[in-house]
Amino acid sequence: MGIVIAMVMAEEEKTLSFEPEFPKSRVKKIITLDKDVKRVSSEALFLVSRSTELFLQLLAEKSAEVAIEKKRKTVKLEHIRIAVKRNRPISDFLFDSLPVPLEAAKSDKPAAAVVDRPKSVPVGTRCIDQIFRKSEAEVDAQAQAPEPEPEPEPEPEPELMEEA
């Protein structure tokens, strides 16, 4: 019996893929957006990629469960929001970053009334939007940089009529 279990485990290991699905260069670029990070080791790159995949898999599974509970075939933003609310560790950092559903945005209530409660963030924690936002210096540099003048288009040469 032990041999059978070992054979089954060996087959499962062959089917499992340990190589991350995300492109390494893209993940590395996102990691190095942090000013404090200069270099990324291959092990760290692998761990970040793989943990991101597992996180997204969990989020997709939980959101699909909510959609099935609501008797829907398509996972929508509201299903993701409910799944995030139900899972405390995910809710702690992700819920405030999710967009508000269109139904809540269209209502006559002010935006402050739609938000459940103000969230206190642990010291040293940054919102994910801050990672992708350009710094004020970059924005100022782009605004002050003169735009290149468009090159004038060459005038078309008049066609010569051929005499036949």
Side-chain angles (χ1 to χ4, degrees):
M1 184 162 160
I3 296 172
V4 174
I5 293 173
M7 290 174 57
V8 169
M9 289 177 63
E11 287 178 21
E12 287 179 0
E13 285 182 14
K14 290 178 185 175
T15 60
L16 292 176
S17 172
F18 291 109
E19 190 64 28
E21 295 288 323
F22 295 119
K24 292 178 183 177
S25 61
R26 182 100 22 113
V27 174
K28 188 173 184 177
K29 187 180 286 188
I30 292 171
I31 292 172
T32 55
L33 286 174
D34 187 345
K35 295 172 187 169
D36 297 334
V37 177
K38 302 288 185 229
R39 295 174 45 183
V40 181
S41 71
S42 60
E43 293 87 6
L45 188 61
F46 172 80
L47 289 173
V48 169
S49 297
R50 191 69 178 122
S51 60
T52 302
E53 286 178 32
L54 293 173
F55 170 74
L56 290 175
Q57 181 180 2
L58 173 73
L59 185 60
E61 288 171 358
K62 298 294 183 185
S63 300
E65 289 173 8
V66 173
I68 291 170
E69 288 174 14
K70 304 274 184 184
K71 297 182 172 51
R72 301 284 184 232
K73 292 183 179 180
T74 305
V75 176
K76 296 185 177 182
L77 175 60
E78 71 177 79
H79 303 139
I80 296 171
R81 289 179 65 85
I82 292 169
V84 168
K85 266 186 177 178
R86 288 181 183 173
N87 193 327
R88 174 81 182 172
I90 296 174
S91 177
D92 287 344
F93 80 94
L94 185 61
F95 189 74
D96 291 338
S97 298
L98 289 173
V100 178
L102 292 176
E103 293 81 30
K106 290 181 182 177
S107 68
D108 294 334
K109 297 178 184 178
V114 175
V115 177
D116 292 336
R117 57 184 158 74
K119 207 68 160 147
S120 63
V121 179
V123 176
T125 304
R126 296 187 307 174
C127 180
I128 195 165
D129 296 338
Q130 294 173 343
I131 294 172
F132 297 103
R133 189 175 299 137
K134 291 184 179 180
S135 68
E136 290 180 20
E138 289 175 341
V139 172
D140 291 341
Q142 281 183 342
Q144 293 176 357
E147 293 185 26
E149 295 180 18
E151 295 180 20
E153 294 181 21
E155 295 183 22
E157 296 181 20
E159 294 181 23
L160 298 176
M161 296 185 72
E162 294 181 20
E163 294 182 21

